[in-house]
Amino acid sequence: MSGGGLLIAGTTSDAGKSVVTAGICRWLVRQGVKAAPFKGQNMSLNSFVTREGAEIGRAQAMQAQAARVEPTALMNPVLLKPGSDRSSQVVLMGKPVGELSARGYHGGRQQTLFEPVVECLEKLRSTYDAVICEGAGSPAEINLRRTDIVNMGIARAARLPVVVVGDIDRGGVFAQFFGTTALLAPEDQELVAGYLVNKFRGDVTLLEPGLEMLHGLTGRRTFGVLPYAHGLGIDEEDGLRVSLRGAVRESATAAPLGEDVLRVAVCAVPLMSNFTDVDALAAEPGVIVRFVDRAEELADADLVVVPGTRGTVKALAWLRERGLADAIARRAAEGRPVLGICGGFQALGEHIEDEVESRAGEVDALGLLPVRVRFAREKTLARPVGEALGERVEGYEIHHGVAEVLGGEPFLDGCRVGAVWGTHWHGSLESDGFRRAFLREVAAAAGRRFVPAPDTSFGLLREEQLDRLGDLIEEHADTAALLELIERGAPAGLPFVPPGAP
């Protein structure tokens, strides 16, 4: 097989496109097929740095891991990083190229990116047996179809068969499948091969009459019904989609080895980026991770994390307005642990000079670490390796702020003062030895009799999750039919479902 492809579209955002794409990639590689993921345009505040120093969406990095290949910029040529409800930073082939309003992007710039996106897909298809593409939002967003470079636009340009995923747990999935198809132009409908039901609970036989009726109405089959599976929401794309207050990253927390659990409160700052940094903490037995937005929710926390953000100055104002800044300062004075990562590290410093991100100029930060930050126009994108707490640490950096560390104990690229730590490094907590050493320090400072598990491997847990995604596809999807789509494209003669695009 050479150069096959498939586009996984969705009836809505968060229908399960990312995890289905990853699951198909993992299933294919287990069959000996050389596969790669692709998403032409991604809107996300959760990003990753490839080995060549390119910034891409974390979902595509996760999908590359599912396919057991090294992630590259080709897999996500356009990344939009929201800075507000109306504007985003545009990252092209891993490098920022400017800030655009939604109107400016969809009004012209997006169309100029269509050719580079198609070229990236063709390069991948010339290298891999199969490229599994992920759409964005819904392909039936008729107001955006003319400038689409990620759903039916790319499918039609590359003649990719399309499978539409729907989240049945939300209800209305039959109407979503039918309506999505019926709002597409005839030329787009020719490529929609069928559907995949996601997050089903219960007896599948009760669903089958509806699937038969859907086939009768659309002439398209359903390629599988995936059951609801807990704990698989890995590397979510969009930090703006919901308020995360009170959310627990994993559905269940294993019992601690020691006598105490360890409670981690993550401040749900505006434009929160790479909140996946705390996934490695949530994976530890006895560690409970929650996102919070009220000062009183910090009272029983053993560790407070101020995470990354695309708006450090905005996050500072938010922390102050909600009383969280004062609560964090009191914690620091009492010697209770606080960790700042990237934008959170900048917020814990003394002073910020920002003429780039917020254009707010001179701003006082929280003053908990002896650090001064100046925002540079050029973004730092790096994959550093170092040592902290006597352990090897790997991470990645994505930031405009340049930190001048004026004191404290060295901590990765940042510093530590008492029980307050700060670093620009994302992903450091995925280094198992370092994470255990850090949690021992936190437990000691918090007065908790918590003992880190000696054998938790975050990398192994991630592999197990990806294998579970592959299992879902293998056990609950018609893999022979999916493979035929990948090899041969959409079947000929698929009927038109009126009325079509207006």
Side-chain angles (χ1 to χ4, degrees):
M1 180 166 63
S2 177
L6 177 67
L7 176 71
I8 302 300
T11 57
T12 61
S13 293
D14 206 32
K17 297 183 293 290
S18 294
V19 294
V20 167
T21 300
I24 293 174
C25 284
R26 177 49 60 100
W27 172 74
L28 284 170
V29 75
R30 293 196 309 209
Q31 309 310 305
V33 177
K34 189 179 177 186
F38 177 80
K39 185 162 185 171
Q41 171 201 292
N42 195 347
M43 178 173 278
S44 180
L45 287 169
N46 282 333
S47 58
F48 181 76
V49 179
T50 67
R51 294 209 180 277
E52 73 266 33
E55 184 179 9
I56 66 171
R58 270 200 72 96
Q60 279 61 66
M62 176 268 290
Q63 291 159 356
Q65 185 178 347
R68 299 190 178 126
V69 296
E70 191 66 35
T72 74
L74 291 174
M75 297 171 184
N76 179 206
V78 179
L79 174 64
L80 306 178
K81 302 194 73 175
S84 70
D85 287 343
R86 295 190 176 185
S87 69
S88 295
Q89 183 181 68
V90 181
V91 179
L92 176 61
M93 292 303 295
K95 305 295 180 185
V97 294
E99 196 92 12
L100 277 180
S101 68
R103 180 177 292 275
Y105 182 70
H106 290 288
R109 182 60 191 269
Q110 188 177 32
Q111 288 172 298
T112 68
L113 298 174
F114 184 70
E115 211 170 291
V117 167
V118 173
E119 287 175 2
C120 288
L121 175 56
E122 289 309 312
K123 284 180 184 176
L124 287 175
R125 293 182 77 180
S126 69
T127 306
Y128 292 91
D129 298 332
V131 179
I132 309 304
C133 307
E134 179 188 344
S138 161
E141 289 165 351
I142 53 180
N143 56 316
L144 302 177
R145 176 61 184 91
R146 183 176 59 83
T147 57
D148 171 38
I149 65 172
V150 66
N151 290 307
M152 299 314 299
I154 195 77
R156 203 193 294 188
R159 302 306 298 169
L160 292 172
V162 178
V163 172
V164 181
V165 177
D167 179 355
I168 197 169
D169 197 50
R170 296 179 174 186
V173 77
F174 293 116
Q176 291 170 24
F177 284 144
F178 181 86
T180 296
T181 309
L183 279 176
L184 298 177
E187 297 83 358
D188 289 345
Q189 287 194 25
E190 287 176 5
L191 297 171
V192 177
Y195 314 108
L196 191 65
V197 176
N198 192 29
K199 298 184 182 178
F200 180 72
R201 306 174 194 249
D203 185 348
V204 175
T205 60
L206 298 176
L207 191 64
E208 286 170 354
L211 300 178
E212 290 171 10
M213 286 185 272
L214 182 68
H215 184 270
L217 288 165
T218 66
R220 288 159 176 84
R221 57 166 300 184
T222 298
F223 289 95
V225 178
L226 307 184
Y228 195 104
H230 289 283
L232 290 180
I234 49 181
D235 292 357
E236 287 94 337
E237 291 190 341
D238 192 353
L240 299 178
R241 63 185 174 87
V242 288
S243 167
L244 289 166
R245 189 183 68 78
V248 180
R249 298 292 291 133
E250 286 297 325
S251 57
T253 302
L257 265 68
E259 296 178 44
D260 288 343
V261 296
L262 211 60
R263 294 176 174 83
V264 179
V266 184
C267 298
V269 297
L271 300 174
M272 182 166 44
S273 61
N274 287 66
F275 56 85
T276 48
D277 279 334
V278 298
D279 281 358
L281 296 179
E284 282 286 346
V287 176
I288 301 167
V289 176
R290 301 186 71 83
F291 289 84
V292 304
D293 61 4
R294 294 196 295 249
E296 57 268 30
E297 292 176 295
L298 303 189
D300 67 345
D302 302 304
L303 170 66
V304 170
V305 177
V306 187
T309 171
R310 248 283 271 154
T312 302
V313 170
K314 184 180 288 188
L316 267 171
W318 182 88
L319 290 168
R320 286 174 169 135
E321 287 164 7
R322 292 176 171 264
L324 286 158
D326 289 338
I328 291 169
R330 286 194 298 272
R331 288 183 66 88
E334 294 164 2
R336 300 175 68 199
V338 177
L339 171 65
I341 301 173
C342 201
F345 165 45
Q346 296 165 7
L348 297 180
E350 296 174 351
H351 185 78
I352 291 172
E353 181 186 334
D354 182 10
E355 300 292 350
V356 175
E357 190 174 77
S358 68
R359 298 180 176 85
E362 307 279 335
V363 177
D364 288 331
L366 300 184
L368 303 182
L369 292 174
V371 175
R372 299 176 74 85
V373 175
R374 179 185 57 80
F375 276 70
R377 296 203 175 275
E378 188 167 336
K379 183 183 282 191
T380 297
L381 296 168
R383 289 276 293 268
V385 177
E387 187 176 299
L389 305 179
E391 299 286 348
R392 187 177 187 272
V393 188
E394 294 184 28
Y396 58 99
E397 294 184 68
I398 306 169
H399 54 92
H400 284 280
V402 178
E404 182 185 6
V405 179
L406 303 171
E409 298 175 45
F411 178 69
L412 302 176
D413 70 330
C415 65
R416 169 188 183 177
V417 174
V420 180
W421 293 266
T423 176
H424 271 132
W425 292 21
H426 293 291
S428 63
L429 294 167
E430 295 179 18
S431 297
D432 297 326
F434 166 71
R435 182 180 64 254
R436 287 192 277 270
F438 177 71
L439 289 175
R440 282 192 289 269
E441 294 254 351
V442 167
R448 293 286 185 190
R449 288 172 292 186
F450 169 84
V451 178
D455 55 355
T456 301
S457 166
F458 184 76
L460 183 59
L461 289 171
R462 171 54 55 86
E463 278 295 304
E464 289 173 356
Q465 281 186 311
L466 294 172
D467 274 332
R468 287 176 64 199
L469 291 180
D471 293 343
L472 280 178
I473 298 299
E474 184 169 351
E475 295 166 13
H476 301 282
D478 186 339
T479 52
L482 290 177
L483 196 57
E484 186 171 355
L485 286 180
I486 292 167
E487 291 178 321
R488 300 185 183 180
L494 290 167
F496 172 69
V497 180

